[in-house]
Amino acid sequence: MQSDADAADPILRFQVLGPLQVWRSSQEIEPGPPQQRALLAVLLRRAGRPIGLQELVEGIWGEEPPPNAVAAVRTYVSRLRGLLEPDRKSRAAASLLVSVADGYTLRLPAQAVDAARFEQHITDAGQARAAGDAVACQQEAAAALGLWRAAPLAGLPGPSVETWRRRLDELRSTALELRLGAVIDLGGHREAVAELADLVAEQPLSERFRALLMLALYRSGRQAEALAAYADTRRLLVNELGVEPGPELTDLHARILASDASLVVPERTAGGAVMPSVRVPAQLPQDPTDFTGRAELTAELRLALCDDPGLGVRICALAGIGGVGKTALAVHAAHSVRSEFADGQLYVDLRGAGDGPADPEAVLGDFLAALGEDTGSIPEGLERRSLLYRSLLAERRVLVVLDNARDTDQVMPLLPGGAGCAVLVTSRARLTDLPGARHVDLDVLDPQEALQLFGAIAGPERAAAEREAALDVVSACSFLPLAVRIVASRLAARRSWTVSTLAARLADEQRRLDELQTGRLAVEATFELGYRQLSPALARAFRLLALPDSPHLSLASAAAVLGLPQPDAEELAESLVDAGLLESPAPGRYRHHDLLRLFARRQSERADSAEERDQAVNQLLDFLFATVSTASRILEPGDVLTDHLRPPRAESVPLTDTTAARAWLRAEQSTLFAVIAQRARDEREAAVRPLIDLLMAWVWLIDGAVHQRQIEQILRPVVVTAHRIGDAVAESRARCIRGLLLYAVDEYEAAEAELLAALLPARANGDAVAQFTAANLLGMVAGTTGRAAEALPFLQEAFEQCEALGNASVSAIILGNTARSLSDLGREHEALATADAAVETARRSGNQSTVADTHYQSSVVLREAGRADAAATHLGDALRLFREQGRRTWEGLALARLAECLEDEGREADAALSAEQALVVAREVGDAFCEGLALAVGGRVLTRLGETDRGRTQLEDAYAVFQRLGLPEAEELRAQLDAAADRATSGAEPGRITPGR
C-alpha cells in the first residue's frame, strides 16, 4: 500500500471531495464557470479513459442540451487546455487534455485526483479488514476520510456530476463503516457510541450503522439500550419500507439476547497493539507541494521518529535560522511517517519568533479537545492539563509537531510520556537543554536544491532558459529557502521580467554573508530587498498592517488600520500579496508571516511616529466598536445599551440582517480578542474607556461561559488601570462584565462580590448603564442561590433604570427574572401576571433573543403553578429560537425544563429522551447548572421507568453538582434520595419523586 506522503506529488492537483479546486504546485487555478467546471469534473471522473463528445454533452446538460452545446464543449475544452498548459505554444499539440476520436481524454497520474486516492485508501481498508488487520483498516479508512473536505463537487450541474457525487457519498459511508468497525474491534466501543448515534440520525435507514451502534452499546455494558436500538430500527423499517431488518441485524439481536460470548471485547493482542481513540486528530498542515531536496535529512528524521518505542518517547529537535525551511521540512517529514502513528498527529505553531509566544496551557487545552476531551471537563492550570495530556497519550501512538518554539520551557509541558509517541520540535535557537532530544541542525539548501525550488515557483522553463542567471539569484539569496521563495514569487508574478533582471537587482546587496552568520539578520536582509522596492504607499501599508496583534485581518479591518476606503486598501494588500510580503489565507483576509511581522514592525519604528502607530491600532478599534454596535442593534433590537456608550467614530460594515451580524462576529472573533487584549496592556488613561465600551457592547453577543477565561485575562489589567486613574465609570462597567462572566460559569459568590463593587459607585455616579446591569445580575444571582426575597429589590431597581432609559428589551428580561423570584416566594398570581408582561414586552421590542428568554422564564413560572402543558408550549417556542440563534447553553436549559414538563404530564419516556439531550448539550458547553437539571429530571424518570440503579446514579450526580454550586436544589435532592432509600428498604413500590424547582 502506498500512502499519500509516499506518492510523488504531481505539479497539477485536482480536488473534488468538496468544491472543485485545481492547483499548480502551491497556486490555485480558477477553473472557470459552472459548466466548464462540470466538463472538467466529467473528464476527471473518467480517470484517463476517452469520452465521446455526445456523452460529454449529456453528462453536463442531460437529455435537453442547449442548441450550442457541442460548440460550448469545444470552447470549454480550449479554455481548459490554456489553464492546464499555460506555456504550451499556440500550434503545439496538447499533452494533457487530448483529442481522441470524436471526444477527449484527460491524461493525469492517478494521484493527481484526490478521489482516486480516496478510493484506494478505502480499497486498502477493505482488504485489511478481510485480512483481519483492524489497525491497518482503521488507519486506511481514517486516511480516506481525512481527504474529505465537504460535499463533493458542490454547486456543479449535470447528471454525470450528480452520479459521481452519489458514488462518493456512498464511499464515504463505507469508509465510516470500516473505520468505526475497526475501532470497535480494537476496543474503542465506548468512544464510538456518540459518533454512531449521530450517523444513525443522519442515515436512519442504514442497517450497517445501526448494527455497529448495537454492538458498541452492548460491549459498553448497555445491553438494554442495544436491544432498544434494534426495536427502534425494526419499527422504522416496518413503518417506512414495510420490511423486516436484514439478517445482520436480526442475527446480532439474537446474539445480544443470548449474551453470546463471542460479542465481548477482543483481548489486547500479545504484541500490545494500542487501542485507537475514535477521535483521531489529523492536524498536520498540507504537505508543501513544492518541497525540494532535503532527502537525507527527511530520511534521518523518519528513522529517528520511528525508532524502537522501547527506548521511550522519541524527540527530534530541528534548529536553524529564520527562513531556512524548518516548518516545511518538519511538516514534510511528519507526513512521511503519518501511517506509523495510527492514533493521530497534533500540530501547533508556538509563535516563538514573535512578541506573543503561545501559552503552553492554552496549547494543551486545544490538544486535549482534539484528543476527545469534552471542553467542559478540561482542567485549569498548566500542571493539571499536562498530567491529563500525558495520561491520554500514555497508551497511544501519536506524533506531536511543536513548530516555531521559543525555548525549552515552552516545550517541556507539551511533551507526552508514552513510549509510543514521537515529538518533532522546530526552533530558531538550538534547544541544547531539551532532555533526550536528538538534535538536527538545518542549513541552507545546496545550490542544486535552491535552483529546483526557484524553478518550481518561478517556472521551470524560465529557470532553465537562464540557468546561470538563476544560479546568481539563488546565490545572492545565500540559498536561504525563504529568500529564494520570495524572489521567485516576485518573478512569477511579473511575466515581463527576466531572470537576469532579477539577478541584477540582487547584485548590489553587500551584507548578505555577514547577516547570514547572525541568524535573524539574514532574513531581514532578504525582506529588505523586497521592502525597498515598494512604493511609499505600499511600504506604509506593509508596516501598519503588522501593528495589530490579530493573527489575520479582514479587508474591512485592513482598511480601518490604513484609514483608506476598502477598494484602495484591497489594491495595496493584494499588491503586497503579489510581492510575497503578505499572505492571503482566504479571499479578503490577510496576514503577515511571523518573521515578516517582526520585520515590518521594526521598519515602522524607524519610519512612523508613535502617534501614527497608535492611530493605526485606534482606527481598528473604532471600526470594531462601530460594527459591534451595529451587530448589537440588529441582534438585540429594543436594547438601547449602545446608545449610552460613546458614539462610534468610524463607519461600520453594512450588516443587513441577523445572519450577516452573526457571521461577522464569528469571523472577527479572533481579531476582537487579540486587539482588545493588545490595547488592554496599554495603561494610558485614554485607552481605558473606549476599550470598556467595546467590551460592554460585545460581551452580550457571545457565549460568556465559553470565553470567560480569555475575557477575564483582558479585564484584569483594565480594572487596575481604571482604578488607578480614578475612572469610576470605567471601573464599574468593567466589574459588571466580570460579574456577568462569573455568573455564566456558576461562580455565584465571586460574581456577587464583583457586582456589588460595581453597583455602589454606579449609583453615586449616575451611570444608568452600569446600575441596571449590576442590579439585574445581582437579582439573578440572588434568585439562583435561593434568595428570592433579596432578589426583588435589585430587580426593581434595574427595571426602573431600564424604563427610564427606554430599554424595552432588557426591561422584558428583568420582568422575567422578577416573575421567577415571585414564583419562588409563592406569590403565584403576581408571578404569572409578571411573566405574561415579560413576554408581551419582549414581543413589542422586536428582540427575538429576548422573546426566547422570556418564553423560557415564563415556562418555569407556569410549571411551578401546575400548568405543565402551557409551560411546554412556551418551551417549544424558546427552544426553536435558541436553536435559530445558535445559543447552545440556553438550548440545553430549555431541553431540561421541557423534560420536567413531560415528567409532570406522565410522559416518562419522552422526558428521559429530552433529559438525555439536555445532558449532552450541557456537557458540550460546560454548563454545570444545566447538567444538574438534566441529571435530576433524568434520574427521576428513569426511576419511574424501572431503571432504579441508573436513576439513582443520576440523582446522586445531580446532587453533587448542585452541592458544589451551593444551590438549594441540593437539599431537595438529598431529601428525595433519602426517601427513595427508605422505600427500597421497606420494599415499597417506587413513588413519584417530587421534582425540583
Side-chain angles (χ1 to χ4, degrees):
M1 291 182 285
Q2 185 183 44
S3 72
D4 293 334
D6 293 330
D9 209 344
I11 293 177
L12 277 173
R13 292 181 296 114
F14 301 82
Q15 294 178 312
V16 302
L17 301 177
L20 177 61
Q21 290 182 309
V22 183
W23 299 82
R24 177 180 291 107
S25 296
S26 60
Q27 294 183 341
E28 185 175 3
I29 302 171
E30 172 56 47
Q35 275 78 19
Q36 185 169 308
R37 290 169 176 257
L39 170 64
L40 177 57
V42 174
L43 291 166
L44 290 171
R45 181 189 175 201
R46 294 301 289 258
R49 289 175 285 115
I51 180 169
L53 190 59
Q54 189 58 39
E55 188 177 354
L56 273 172
V57 169
E58 292 175 0
I60 299 171
W61 287 283
E63 297 179 355
E64 297 181 2
N68 65 339
V70 171
V73 166
R74 288 176 173 145
T75 299
Y76 295 151
V77 167
S78 176
R79 291 176 183 172
L80 285 172
R81 282 171 170 166
L83 290 173
L84 300 179
E85 298 182 76
D87 297 325
R88 181 173 59 88
K89 298 187 185 309
S90 59
R91 295 185 179 275
S95 60
L96 295 179
L97 182 43
V98 180
S99 297
V100 178
D102 68 334
Y104 304 92
T105 186
L106 186 57
R107 293 174 176 171
L108 296 168
Q111 66 267 27
V113 185
D114 60 355
R117 303 197 303 276
F118 178 70
E119 293 199 35
Q120 186 60 53
H121 280 305
I122 294 172
T123 299
D124 292 344
Q127 292 174 351
R129 183 175 69 176
D133 189 346
V135 171
C137 177
Q138 192 269 344
Q139 292 172 354
E140 291 296 332
L145 294 168
L147 294 171
W148 192 275
R149 295 178 294 122
L153 301 164
L156 294 193
S160 181
V161 168
E162 182 57 33
T163 300
W164 198 12
R165 187 181 291 125
R166 285 197 300 268
R167 170 173 167 73
L168 291 171
D169 282 333
E170 291 170 1
L171 285 170
R172 178 175 179 266
S173 294
T174 300
L176 286 166
E177 293 172 11
L178 287 166
R179 181 174 65 81
L180 288 165
V183 165
I184 293 172
D185 288 343
L186 291 166
H189 40 270
R190 296 182 187 277
E191 296 90 344
V193 168
E195 187 174 358
L196 282 165
D198 289 340
L199 288 169
V200 165
E202 292 172 11
Q203 302 182 41
L205 298 178
S206 170
E207 294 191 38
R208 179 58 180 153
F209 284 142
R210 288 182 177 271
L212 289 171
L213 177 60
M214 289 170 60
L215 180 59
L217 287 168
Y218 179 76
R219 288 187 175 177
S220 300
R222 299 159 68 176
Q223 182 179 15
E225 291 175 72
L227 295 171
Y230 175 83
D232 289 342
T233 303
R234 182 180 181 278
R235 182 167 54 252
L236 178 69
L237 292 173
V238 170
N239 292 341
E240 293 289 331
L241 304 178
V243 299
E244 291 288 335
E248 181 183 13
L249 276 176
T250 53
D251 178 67
L252 179 60
H253 177 243
R255 293 170 68 193
I256 291 174
L257 283 172
S259 299
D260 189 336
S262 67
L263 291 179
V264 298
V265 183
E267 294 295 330
R268 190 178 182 86
T269 64
V274 176
M275 181 185 74
S277 171
V278 172
R279 184 77 63 87
V280 179
Q283 297 184 339
L284 295 178
Q286 180 180 342
D287 195 358
T289 56
D290 52 16
F291 185 84
T292 302
R294 313 290 200 192
E296 292 183 6
L297 280 175
T298 301
E300 180 181 348
L301 289 172
R302 284 176 58 109
L303 182 62
L305 294 170
C306 300
D307 206 351
D308 182 6
L311 301 176
V313 60
R314 284 87 70 205
I315 304 173
C316 292
L318 187 60
I321 62 172
V324 79
K326 300 181 296 295
T327 297
L329 175 58
V331 171
H332 181 69
H335 274 282
S336 73
V337 299
R338 187 176 59 182
S339 61
E340 298 294 324
F341 297 89
D343 297 319
Q345 308 87 41
L346 297 169
Y347 172 90
V348 64
D349 178 3
L350 293 174
R351 306 193 303 274
D355 290 334
D359 178 7
E361 183 180 350
V363 172
L364 284 170
D366 292 338
F367 278 359
L368 290 169
L371 290 166
E373 282 297 295
D374 185 83
T375 54
S377 67
I378 294 175
E380 296 294 335
L382 177 62
E383 185 176 352
R384 295 177 65 197
R385 287 186 176 185
S386 187
L387 286 171
L388 178 57
Y389 170 70
R390 292 197 297 272
S391 297
L392 289 176
L393 295 187
E395 296 297 328
R396 301 189 188 184
R397 290 186 61 82
V398 173
L399 175 63
V400 183
V401 180
L402 306 176
D403 192 20
N404 198 8
R406 168 161 285 192
D407 52 32
T408 299
D409 288 342
Q410 188 187 32
V411 169
M412 287 298 293
L414 307 178
L415 298 179
C421 296
V423 182
L424 181 52
V425 187
T426 75
S427 62
R428 293 176 62 194
R430 202 166 190 259
L431 304 181
T432 55
D433 54 345
L434 185 61
R438 181 170 186 165
H439 295 280
V440 178
D441 293 327
L442 187 58
D443 202 351
V444 297
L445 297 170
D446 67 43
Q448 185 58 38
E449 290 175 337
L451 281 173
Q452 290 174 1
L453 177 60
F454 180 80
I457 298 170
E461 299 85 0
R462 297 175 78 181
E466 297 182 77
R467 180 177 173 81
E468 291 303 317
L471 185 57
D472 290 342
V473 168
V474 297
S475 297
C477 292
S478 301
F479 309 111
L480 191 70
L482 185 55
V484 173
R485 183 177 297 279
I486 289 171
V487 296
S489 298
R490 184 177 298 114
L491 182 64
R494 290 163 175 79
R495 305 302 296 180
S496 62
W497 282 16
T498 64
V499 182
S500 298
T501 302
L502 182 59
R505 291 175 176 270
L506 291 167
D508 292 337
E509 294 298 321
Q510 298 298 322
R511 302 178 297 168
R512 287 188 296 269
L513 292 177
D514 292 339
E515 289 171 343
L516 178 60
Q517 294 173 359
T518 62
R520 179 181 53 80
L521 291 178
V523 177
E524 186 173 348
T526 304
F527 292 157
E528 189 85 44
L529 173 66
Y531 175 72
R532 284 207 304 270
Q533 299 194 27
L534 298 177
S535 68
L538 278 174
R540 175 181 178 272
F542 173 68
R543 297 192 304 268
L544 296 186
L545 290 176
L547 297 179
D549 276 351
S550 176
H552 48 71
L553 292 172
S554 66
L555 173 57
S557 294
V561 171
L562 299 176
L564 294 173
Q566 285 195 32
D568 296 344
E570 183 176 28
E571 183 177 351
L572 291 171
E574 289 295 332
S575 295
L576 289 170
V577 171
D578 290 342
L581 295 175
L582 199 65
E583 297 176 359
S584 181
R589 302 202 77 84
Y590 304 97
R591 69 185 179 199
H592 284 81
H593 184 279
D594 282 348
L595 296 174
L596 279 167
R597 184 189 296 275
L598 291 175
F599 172 79
R601 286 181 172 179
R602 173 168 292 186
Q603 296 303 314
S604 183
E605 290 172 359
R606 296 169 180 169
D608 306 314
S609 67
E611 291 75 15
E612 288 173 315
R613 297 198 300 275
D614 270 351
Q615 183 181 8
V617 179
N618 286 337
Q619 286 171 171
L620 176 56
L621 278 171
D622 289 341
F623 158 72
L624 293 173
F625 175 67
T627 310
V628 166
S629 297
T630 298
S632 177
R633 285 190 288 273
I634 292 173
L635 296 172
E636 301 287 349
D639 186 346
V640 299
L641 169 65
T642 54
D643 296 340
H644 297 275
L645 304 176
R646 68 186 179 97
R649 295 182 292 190
E651 186 175 341
S652 163
V653 168
L655 305 175
T656 56
D657 53 29
T658 57
T659 300
R662 291 194 178 96
W664 183 86
L665 288 168
R666 285 194 300 271
E668 298 304 317
Q669 181 168 289
S670 61
T671 297
L672 281 158
F673 271 121
V675 178
I676 289 173
Q678 179 182 9
R679 256 305 175 251
R681 296 190 292 269
D682 189 337
E683 297 183 354
R684 290 174 296 177
E685 180 175 352
V688 172
R689 187 67 66 86
L691 191 61
I692 290 299
D693 282 355
L694 174 53
L695 282 166
M696 281 292 286
W698 181 46
V699 73
W700 303 97
L701 307 179
I702 62 175
D703 193 331
V706 173
H707 302 293
Q708 186 267 340
R709 188 169 180 270
Q710 285 176 279
I711 301 178
E712 171 62 22
Q713 289 179 335
I714 292 171
L715 279 171
R716 194 176 296 118
V718 176
V719 172
V720 171
T721 302
H723 183 77
R724 178 178 57 78
I725 65 177
D727 190 338
V729 172
E731 183 177 356
S732 291
R733 293 182 178 184
R735 291 188 183 279
C736 283
I737 299 170
R738 291 178 74 177
L740 166 67
L741 298 172
L742 290 165
Y743 176 81
V745 295
D746 308 316
E747 296 184 19
Y748 304 119
E749 185 176 345
E752 186 169 6
E754 202 70 40
L755 292 165
L756 286 171
L759 181 60
L760 298 178
R763 289 170 175 166
N765 294 322
D767 182 5
V769 169
Q771 187 176 350
F772 82 69
T773 302
N776 179 47
L777 288 168
L778 281 165
M780 292 167 63
V781 171
T784 301
T785 53
R787 297 175 290 144
E790 296 179 35
L792 287 177
F794 286 124
L795 295 172
Q796 181 62 31
E797 178 181 356
F799 182 76
E800 291 171 356
Q801 292 296 318
C802 280
E803 288 293 284
L805 293 173
N807 200 341
S809 174
V810 179
S811 291
I813 291 175
I814 296 170
L815 285 171
N817 293 335
T818 302
R820 293 281 301 275
S821 291
L822 289 169
S823 179
D824 288 346
L825 291 171
R827 295 159 62 175
E828 182 179 303
H829 180 73
E830 294 173 81
L832 291 170
T834 305
D836 288 342
V839 174
E840 183 57 32
T841 302
R843 285 173 175 158
R844 287 199 306 269
S845 77
N847 187 326
Q848 292 303 298
S849 294
T850 302
V851 171
D853 293 336
T854 53
H855 274 307
Y856 173 84
Q857 301 288 41
S858 294
S859 74
V860 179
V861 173
L862 284 164
R863 176 178 170 270
E864 289 179 350
R867 296 171 56 185
D869 55 343
T873 299
H874 279 275
L875 283 168
D877 292 336
L879 191 56
R880 173 180 56 81
L881 290 170
F882 288 146
R883 285 170 171 164
E884 288 176 1
Q885 296 158 12
R887 299 167 65 187
R888 289 285 282 163
T889 297
W890 285 97
E891 178 187 344
L893 288 166
L895 285 166
R897 297 297 188 186
L898 180 60
E900 293 178 333
C901 294
L902 294 169
E903 176 194 14
D904 290 350
E905 294 176 342
R907 297 165 57 185
E908 280 85 359
D910 292 336
L913 177 61
S914 187
E916 183 66 24
Q917 293 172 338
L919 188 60
V920 169
V921 175
R923 288 173 173 168
E924 175 189 320
V925 300
D927 189 290
F929 182 75
C930 179
E931 182 181 6
L933 282 181
L935 286 167
V937 64
R940 293 193 298 268
V941 296
L942 286 172
T943 300
R944 291 291 300 168
L945 290 168
E947 296 188 44
T948 309
D949 292 342
R950 190 175 165 211
R952 182 174 181 84
T953 298
Q954 288 207 2
L955 287 170
E956 289 173 344
D957 290 345
Y959 169 74
V961 170
F962 286 134
Q963 185 182 49
R964 173 168 54 83
L965 297 178
L967 297 179
E969 284 86 348
E971 297 179 9
E972 299 172 9
L973 279 168
R974 184 70 270 163
Q976 294 164 13
L977 285 165
D978 292 343
D982 292 342
R983 283 193 299 273
T985 302
S986 64
E989 289 293 322
R992 188 175 190 82
I993 299 177
T994 304
R997 178 169 74 84

